[in-house]
Amino acid sequence: MFWNRAMETIRGDELADLQIKRLKWSLHQAGKTGLYQRRMKEAGVSPDDIKTLEDVERLPFTTKKDLQAGYPFGLFAVPLKEVVRIHTTSGTTGKPTVVGYTRQDLENWSELIARNMTMIGLGEDDIFQNAVNYGLFTGGLGFHYGAEKIGMTVIPSATGNTRRQIEMIEDFGVTAIHCTPSYALHLAEVAESMGKSLDTLKTGIFGAEPWSESMRGELERRLGLKAYDSYGLSEMYGPGVAFECPERDGLHIWHDSYLVEVIDPATGERLDPGERGELVITPLVKEAMPLIRYRTGDITRLMDEDGCACGRGQKIERITGRCDDMLVIRGINVFPSQIEHVLRSLPEVGDQFMVYIDRVKHLDEMTIEIEMSKVSFSGELQDLARIQKKISTELQNTLGLRTAVRLVEPASLPRFEGKARRVIDRRGNA
Ligand code: DLL
């Protein structure tokens, strides 16, 4: 099903023409800010030099640091009186990143969310529980207005009070839920402990943090729904940048609104289609805060141009990590998503884990605290030693790194209502 068939299926020359037209408009809009006046001058390029999509490579990059330097409103391209909403997201250090929206931006954003929801078969017959933070986090209001736009019955449940959330799902007959994958797992645990099977739930929309295919399998089994990956970032409005269709093999980017490239994060060179690297996005319709070649820090690759059975255009692969959360441990690069993938494939492992990195006598040590699953937790020392060895071996095989594994009782590690913080790096800069 399509919300906006013309825009969702636009391809080839027609798409390129639209993108270049919108890109020129965005460059003009960005040129209203001091940052881009300086940057374009330094790069020796003016909006008029950009005639084809290949010319985009001549444009300067924008990073999170630039947004922080402009804190709070330095990157706004419209007078503050035209900004009708502000969201923020965490910065790399100190102050948060501020994002502004005009009325048209809010309209564009809910259109994109409406496309996502319609694409996976949701509509006015659905009852939608939006179990994410409704404050400055873009997941709350972003999905709320998109869901209302297509006529769903929206329950703005926000986060917290998990037992009440479960009662609402049951009492209101909720058919679709949106939350972080970590919170979905927690909901599943609590529902099981309450003896609730949540039969009305059919669709789960999960995003805002990396999650693996094994996590998808687990959520689908325990919550009895079909789980879809949703990608976005506050700098690009929020959720709604890319989303899985029913094929669930990669996420469709809304190419009429976002121009995407994949670059080598070390050199900034553009990579060939299919190569994995950092996703760089130039929004094409943002009014209040236009950005040029924004470096997302997210690692993905562009998938085959054609070939999705749903009829929409090019997709990106699910985000496999960030170029800046990559851990270098004893010279070996480790992505937290790799650890998660290994752990979730082992039946002995329960729902939560925590990774600690320390420097002991100048050597990096990684310790993983792992909650055991209820079924495998017998408390017998012999069993524990066997399971510990099995997990260490699996981790070593995948990561190429020896890790200390500490097993803990089921349900004893902290739960996260929002984004999980599972990696604690205690090495400092020493
Ligand atoms: O997390 C927006 C969002 C809300 C997306 C709800 C999806 C659902 P930020 O707080 O600015 O915005 O964080 C953006 O989160 O650069 C990624 O590193 C990560 N991220 C978001 N979605 C996914 C995903 C929202 N599906 C940052 N898979 C991004 C992996 C994701 N990582």
Side-chain angles (χ1 to χ4, degrees):
M1 277 199 288
F2 294 90
W3 175 256
N4 182 341
R5 184 186 285 267
M7 281 300 148
E8 292 177 48
T9 56
I10 186 170
R11 301 230 192 149
D13 289 346
E14 212 189 336
L15 174 62
D17 288 349
L18 180 72
Q19 286 181 323
I20 198 82
K21 187 171 127 225
R22 290 185 169 179
L23 177 65
K24 282 170 181 286
W25 173 85
S26 293
L27 293 176
H28 172 77
Q29 189 73 355
K32 295 177 183 167
T33 67
L35 173 79
Y36 285 119
Q37 284 159 12
R38 276 197 313 279
R39 280 291 158 81
M40 297 289 275
K41 204 166 161 202
E42 280 160 17
V45 48
S46 89
D48 295 337
D49 298 331
I50 306 302
K51 298 198 165 62
T52 69
L53 291 174
E54 278 67 51
D55 294 335
V56 170
E57 282 187 81
R58 297 174 59 191
L59 295 168
F61 289 117
T62 309
T63 64
K64 207 159 179 102
K65 273 205 188 106
D66 295 320
L67 301 197
Q68 276 168 341
Y71 181 88
F73 304 144
L75 270 87
F76 287 7
V78 297
L80 205 51
K81 66 172 192 285
E82 288 174 32
V83 173
V84 296
R85 169 105 60 85
I86 279 170
H87 281 281
T88 70
T89 184
S90 47
T92 45
T93 50
K95 298 278 190 201
T97 301
V98 177
V99 187
Y101 305 73
T102 62
R103 210 170 285 289
Q104 183 62 47
D105 284 326
L106 292 182
E107 180 51 39
N108 297 343
W109 187 17
S110 42
E111 146 89 22
L112 298 180
I113 300 286
R115 289 186 200 174
N116 294 344
M117 309 277 240
T118 311
M119 174 162 74
I120 58 171
L122 299 174
E124 56 193 14
D125 292 330
D126 284 285
I127 303 177
F128 174 61
Q129 187 153 325
N130 198 17
V132 294
N133 180 323
Y134 257 72
L136 292 160
F137 178 60
T138 51
L141 293 178
F143 264 91
H144 185 99
Y145 287 109
E148 277 190 357
K149 193 179 182 76
I150 66 168
M152 297 174 89
T153 305
V154 182
I155 307 165
S157 68
T159 53
N161 203 344
T162 306
R163 295 178 72 87
R164 181 79 197 105
Q165 301 258 8
I166 286 160
E167 278 165 19
M168 278 192 279
I169 296 175
E170 192 173 53
D171 296 347
F172 300 164
V174 170
T175 58
I177 188 159
H178 171 226
C179 58
T180 60
S182 341
Y183 191 55
L185 203 56
H186 183 49
L187 274 172
E189 281 181 332
V190 177
E192 284 158 17
S193 75
M194 292 166 73
K196 305 277 187 196
S197 58
L198 305 182
D199 295 330
T200 55
L201 269 186
K202 299 278 177 293
T203 306
I205 298 171
F206 305 124
E209 63 184 4
W211 53 300
S212 57
E213 282 303 315
S214 23
M215 177 94 149
R216 188 201 307 263
E218 183 154 358
L219 290 174
E220 295 199 332
R221 188 172 48 76
R222 290 173 71 172
L223 288 168
L225 44 66
K226 215 167 161 185
Y228 295 89
D229 192 5
S230 154
Y231 170 76
L233 57 160
S234 311
E235 293 87 337
M236 303 292 146
Y237 291 149
V241 175
F243 204 85
E244 281 181 336
C245 68
E247 300 298 312
R248 298 189 302 165
D249 174 28
L251 289 82
H252 288 284
I253 286 260
W254 300 122
H255 292 283
D256 62 309
S257 304
Y258 300 105
L259 185 66
V260 297
E261 305 166 76
V262 174
I263 62 159
D264 176 336
T267 63
E269 296 288 319
R270 192 189 278 191
L271 295 174
D272 288 332
E275 287 187 281
R276 205 171 269 128
E278 181 179 359
L279 181 68
V280 170
I281 311 180
T282 305
L284 299 174
V285 295
K286 281 186 81 201
E287 277 188 352
M289 210 173 104
L291 293 167
I292 299 175
R293 300 189 89 196
Y294 185 70
R295 294 186 60 158
T296 64
D298 293 318
I299 304 287
T300 184
R301 65 181 181 89
L302 298 178
M303 296 174 64
D304 271 350
E305 190 87 41
D306 28 54
C308 190
C310 80
R312 294 175 184 82
Q314 198 178 35
K315 298 184 276 196
I316 54 165
E317 180 185 66
R318 298 185 70 191
I319 307 292
T320 48
R322 286 187 60 83
C323 40
D324 55 4
D325 83 346
M326 187 176 75
L327 303 160
V328 184
I329 298 167
R330 277 179 262 147
I332 297 170
N333 298 343
V334 177
F335 286 100
S337 51
Q338 290 174 292
I339 301 175
E340 169 165 352
H341 187 75
V342 173
L343 296 183
R344 298 230 181 269
S345 65
L346 298 172
E348 292 86 353
V349 173
D351 290 330
Q352 295 290 341
F353 65 92
M354 291 292 298
V355 180
Y356 298 95
I357 301 144
D358 294 288
R359 190 155 292 164
V360 182
K361 292 191 188 147
H362 310 294
L363 267 188
D364 294 333
E365 293 287 355
M366 180 159 78
T367 307
I368 311 190
E369 244 177 16
I370 299 168
E371 218 170 75
M372 296 187 64
S373 61
K374 282 203 190 90
V375 277
S376 62
F377 183 70
S378 69
E380 295 288 336
L381 276 180
Q382 244 177 342
D383 279 347
L384 290 178
R386 182 184 55 77
I387 293 170
Q388 199 167 27
K389 177 122 199 303
K390 176 176 173 188
I391 298 175
S392 311
T393 310
E394 291 286 334
L395 285 168
Q396 168 120 32
N397 288 345
T398 302
L399 308 178
L401 184 78
R402 196 174 39 74
T403 55
V405 168
R406 201 187 297 149
L407 298 177
V408 300
E409 287 183 27
S412 62
L413 290 177
R415 264 50 184 162
F416 303 95
E417 285 186 348
K419 294 183 192 233
R421 301 238 177 276
R422 294 204 175 92
V423 180
I424 301 193
D425 193 339
R426 300 187 283 212
R427 290 175 294 184
N429 294 319

